[in-house]
Structures are given as C-alpha cells and as structure tokens.
Amino acid sequence: MAALLAAATLLSGCQSILEQTYQADIKPSSTPQIVEQVQKNDPRAQMGAREHPRIVASYGGEYHDAKTERLVARITGALTAVSENPNQSYRITILNSPAINAFALPGGYLYVTRGLLALANDASEVAAVLSHEMAHVTANHGIERQKREEAEVIASRVVAEVLSSDLAGKQALARGKLRLAAFSRQQELQADVIGVRMLGEAGYDPYAAARFLDSMAAYARFSSVDPDTDQSLDFLSSHPNAPQRVELARQHARAFGQEGTVGDRGRDYYLTGIDGLLYGDSPEEGYVRNETFMHAGLGIRFDVPEGFRIDNKVEAVLATGPDETAIRFDGVQAPDDGSLSNYLTSGWVAGLLPDTVRETTVNDMPAATARASAERWEFDVTVVRVDKQIFRFLTAVPKGNTTLEATANTLRASFRRMTPQEISQIKPLRVRIVTVGANDTITTLAARMMGTERKLDLFKMINALSAGATLSPGQRVKIISE
C-alpha cells in the first residue's frame, strides 16, 4: 500500500499516454515560447513560473553545491549553444532529492535531481537527459501538452478517509504534479531525435542516451522486487523505456559515427564535479539505515519490522510490509497541553473507534493509541508527545490481517529519543570518488560502501559495471560513504 502512497507524490514527467505514429522527420518549433514572450497573451505559458516553487518544495528544496552547480551549468551551456534556438534561456535547478528524475516546464525551467547526478557516470549521460528535456521546451511540447486529470491511486483515497486534516492540500499538490508534464509518445520520440542530435553537435558521446537508459534499468532492478510495477522510481515511471526507444536512440546516434569512436564522455571532469555529492536522504528529512529511521534534528528514531521497506518522503515516512501492510509516520506541532486522547478524538482521524482510545506511555513519553476502520482497512493510530511536537504512527492492514497489533507494537517499542552520542555520530552519505589502486578489486572497493547491506550490487550499479567487469589501477570509481 505504501508503494501506492508514494505513487501519489510522483511527477509523471514524460508519461506515454497515447500510441501514435512515429515520424522521424518532425522539426522543432521555429518560435519556441518562453514565459516573458507570451505570458501577456497566453496564460498557459505562466505554468513554469507558477509551478516552480511548488516543484522545488515537493522535491525537498534546491541542492546547493558550487562545484556541482558549475558542472551542470557547463553541460547545459554546451547544449544551449547547439539548440534550435540558442537565444532560449534556461533556468536549471538541482533538486535536493535522492529520486532519479529530470523534467522541464514551459518557459525553460529545467530540473535534475541529485539522485540522477549520482547515478550518471559521465557528463554525456547527464547531457543526454537534459537535451531530451530541452527538446520538449524548444518543440513547445509544454504548450501543446494535453490537460487531463490523472486517476487518483487507491492508497491515497484510503489515507484520505482516515486522515481528514492536512492531507487535502498535499493531495492537491500531488494531483497538480501528475498533470504537469504528460507528454505523448509522439512527443517523447520527437524529443529523443532532437536530444541525440544536440548531444552529437555539442561534442558529447551521442550514444549516451541509450547507455543511461541501461543504467536506469539496472537501478530499477536494484531498487525493487518488481520494477515493472514499482512507482517509486520517478524517472522510470514517467519516461517510457521501451526497447524500441533505446534502439531508435542508437540509430540516430549512428549518424555521428560508430559507437565508441565519436564524442566526448566527459567522465573525468564529471566525477570531479560530483565528488562529495549528498547521496540518499538529506539531514533535513532524516536518515534511513536498513530498517531504522533516525532524525538527528528531531532527536528521534524508530524501527520497522523485519522485511519492511522504508520510503522517506518529504511529507511523511512511509513503509511497506508483507500482505499489503503499510505504515505512515509524520509529526505536527502540538496543540496546547491538552490530553492526547482528546487530540485523537479531535476530528483529524476519520473512522476512529472512540471506545478504543487509550492513554499510555512510549519509552517514558506520553502517548495515546486508538483503532480506526475504513472500507476494507483496519488501522492502529498511535500519537506520542515529544516536547512541543506530536509524532503520529498510522499502521494499516487489510481487514482480517492478524499482524496489526504486532506491527504497531514494534513501532511503539522502538520509538525513542536519540542519545547525544547517537546524534553526533550520524552523518549523511555522500558520493566519494576514489582511484583504483594496484591491489584494489571490485570486491575490496565494494566493501567500503555504506548505507546498504548489498554493497557489491550497489557498487556495480552506480559504476555501471557489467557482469565479469574488472578494474584497472588508476581508474576512478564512485563509492558511497560518509
């Protein structure tokens, strides 16, 4: 269920919504529109300016690092010089999100997440992504895109039935994001054609587009038990990844020469530019370490049961478990010093069963619990007061599932304040660039990885190493460490 909850917050950046005939000879618009040119007579072009602050907020804010920003600006500048309209100005924003995504809005607003930068292995791969998104702008796809309401996912309705307060605005934001950039298959293929041409003319490896699609597929396999249905991978869920599309990208790249013989990958300066890049969760959102969530700023931590997967979103911490079991955790400013049982019955929980409300303590902190019911779901609701905040656990299972009490008990038993020593020791993970030594192997370098129990798999994935690959002394590779 939480996977579906997460899907409600995704940006469907370039989703294929129509099967249309591909035409390789489509040309970009000769008069690309930007906000300043058309906002007086076409209010649709104000979309980019209007949605920009909402996009930034929903993706954890902007990521600021002078070295990385210069790197992305260098790539964008090289592409702009060979675009159909070199006078088109672009506003490139690095989003402080571990998600893998990039997208564009009308008016030249370009976005790339730090998660995508961490996955890419050279400048040409990022150039491939950005040139594709720039092509949507120069071809006026943002103005032409079809306006349609996205169907709301089931899990978001389930939660809305139970939490009736501050979710309304967040769900409206999610629906707005889903409508932002629903491009047709025709427009996607057109952007591919323009993007590959821009890559080649800018001097980058034109085969980078197909290569990075392979890297994203590897990321999907690493991140999900079922990548075909997992909607937590933003870029993959919003950009069609059909084999035909990869082959078409290679066909257009061949116009510049044979693979491996043309274009610059820009690997060395790219790796230098992302050395130290924040990886995974940001300090402001807390950290996930296997089955534990820790937030140094709030000074709290808790564990989910074994076998659960934690998904740390901007608006809440979500966790998925077996048999559609799901957990949502968030915090709100505590009202006046009223009782927590009164808080539980104050109307923010729909379907609450009043006779189940109980006041208790959780590791010496005042708490209250209750049960709720909605359609086919049963819920345990637990609230804990910590100083001036109330932290809320919502555990949901399908009716008839017998694990509700055990799951909720695990959360309650493990929720506690962090010690000063724990807070001082926790550090964010970062991308570190290391040089392969004479005695280094894939296995020894992978052993230095942090933040996952699957160190070897993660090392191979972020370095795009195929089965049977070997490393050479002097080669530079990425590892994840503090």
Side-chain angles (χ1 to χ4, degrees):
M1 187 176 85
L4 292 176
L5 281 171
T9 69
L10 299 182
L11 174 76
S12 292
C14 298
Q15 185 177 4
S16 176
I17 58 175
L18 292 177
E19 290 296 329
Q20 298 180 346
T21 303
Y22 171 61
Q23 300 176 19
D25 59 349
I26 293 180
K27 302 297 182 184
S29 168
S30 58
T31 56
Q33 298 171 333
I34 61 173
V35 174
E36 290 79 2
Q37 292 174 331
V38 298
Q39 61 185 358
K40 293 182 179 180
N41 54 22
D42 188 351
R44 292 175 299 172
Q46 298 179 36
M47 179 187 294
R50 184 179 67 249
E51 297 293 344
H52 175 75
R54 294 168 61 186
I55 288 292
V56 170
S58 63
Y59 272 84
E62 296 186 28
Y63 179 75
H64 293 295
D65 177 86
K67 181 174 58 174
T68 306
E69 290 175 279
R70 285 194 298 270
L71 170 68
V72 174
R74 172 179 178 176
I75 297 170
T76 305
L79 295 171
T80 301
V82 298
S83 70
E84 274 67 22
N85 181 14
N87 295 322
Q88 164 77 62
S89 60
Y90 291 96
R91 177 174 179 173
I92 179 74
T93 300
I94 304 174
L95 297 171
N96 188 21
S97 170
I100 311 295
N101 209 355
F103 46 93
L105 295 180
Y109 289 80
L110 293 178
Y111 304 87
V112 61
T113 60
R114 59 175 170 81
L116 188 144
L117 297 179
L119 179 62
N121 273 285
D122 57 49
S124 68
E125 291 182 355
V126 175
V129 172
L130 292 180
S131 64
H132 174 95
E133 301 304 334
M134 292 167 73
H136 282 308
V137 176
T138 59
N140 278 334
H141 290 163
I143 303 300
E144 299 166 1
R145 80 185 60 189
Q146 302 168 1
K147 308 290 185 179
R148 64 188 186 95
E149 183 69 32
E150 296 282 350
E152 194 171 350
V153 297
I154 295 174
S156 119
R157 290 200 302 267
V158 170
V159 173
E161 291 169 358
V162 178
L163 299 179
S164 54
S165 61
D166 59 350
L167 274 187
K170 293 171 183 172
Q171 290 173 337
L173 170 62
R175 286 194 294 270
K177 288 168 63 182
L178 286 168
R179 291 194 302 269
L180 279 179
F183 293 120
S184 71
R185 180 171 178 77
Q186 173 77 17
Q187 292 170 328
E188 288 291 356
L189 294 171
Q190 183 184 358
D192 284 345
V193 174
I194 300 172
V196 171
R197 184 202 60 74
M198 290 172 64
L199 266 183
E201 292 190 2
Y204 287 114
D205 177 6
Y207 292 87
R211 193 169 65 250
F212 192 57
L213 283 172
D214 290 337
S215 288
M216 286 188 290
Y219 178 86
R221 291 190 297 272
F222 173 84
S223 303
S224 173
V225 175
D226 186 1
D228 292 332
T229 60
D230 187 350
Q231 293 298 298
S232 65
L233 307 172
D234 286 17
F235 194 89
L236 291 175
S237 64
S238 61
H239 292 68
N241 189 21
Q244 177 205 18
R245 190 168 166 224
V246 177
E247 181 53 35
L248 284 171
R250 285 198 171 95
Q251 286 182 18
H252 293 299
R254 290 186 190 115
F256 293 91
Q258 289 299 114
E259 187 168 4
T261 65
V262 291
D264 177 31
R265 291 193 175 187
R267 177 174 170 81
D268 194 55
Y269 73 79
Y270 182 79
L271 293 179
T272 299
I274 65 167
D275 191 16
L277 180 74
L278 188 65
Y279 183 86
D281 301 319
S282 66
E284 294 78 15
E285 304 299 335
Y287 302 102
V288 175
R289 297 291 187 268
N290 299 323
E291 289 156 347
T292 299
F293 175 78
M294 300 175 285
H295 199 300
L298 299 174
I300 55 94
R301 60 174 289 164
F302 65 87
D303 302 326
V304 298
E306 185 177 354
F308 276 64
R309 171 183 168 181
I310 301 177
D311 195 5
N312 187 16
K313 295 293 184 181
V314 172
E315 73 280 5
V317 179
L318 308 172
T320 311
D323 302 321
E324 296 185 277
T325 304
I327 298 164
R328 177 189 170 98
F329 169 80
D330 65 9
V332 295
Q333 194 72 20
D336 296 334
D337 296 330
S339 71
L340 288 175
S341 58
N342 287 340
Y343 175 72
L344 273 179
T345 57
S346 62
W348 64 277
V349 181
L352 187 77
L353 305 176
D355 60 344
T356 66
V357 177
R358 300 283 187 274
E359 293 223 11
T360 184
T361 60
V362 168
N363 288 317
D364 298 324
M365 295 173 286
T369 67
R371 292 293 178 88
S373 181
E375 291 190 353
R376 70 182 189 93
W377 302 96
E378 291 180 334
F379 301 87
D380 178 280
V381 186
T382 296
V383 295
V384 185
R385 187 191 297 275
V386 179
D387 300 326
K388 295 183 179 181
Q389 282 195 296
I390 291 178
F391 292 101
R392 312 186 296 189
F393 288 99
L394 174 69
T395 306
V397 300
K399 286 186 176 179
N401 187 312
T402 60
T403 64
L404 179 60
E405 185 69 20
T407 303
N409 282 341
T410 297
L411 298 171
R412 286 190 286 263
S414 64
F415 182 77
R416 63 173 176 82
R417 296 176 186 263
M418 297 177 67
T419 66
Q421 183 179 11
E422 286 176 324
I423 292 174
S424 66
Q425 289 178 345
I426 186 171
K427 297 178 181 178
L429 298 176
R430 297 187 181 276
V431 177
R432 302 295 184 186
I433 307 303
V434 299
T435 301
V436 177
N439 298 321
D440 286 328
T441 66
I442 289 178
T443 302
T444 61
L445 288 170
R448 298 169 58 181
M449 301 280 285
M450 299 177 64
T452 180
E453 295 177 344
R454 302 158 58 196
K455 296 182 178 182
L456 183 60
D457 290 339
L458 180 60
F459 179 77
K460 289 181 177 179
M461 188 270 295
I462 62 171
N463 288 289
L465 297 174
S466 59
T470 58
L471 301 177
S472 304
Q475 184 177 347
R476 302 174 79 199
V477 294
K478 295 182 284 185
I479 64 170
I480 306 301
S481 67
E482 292 181 345

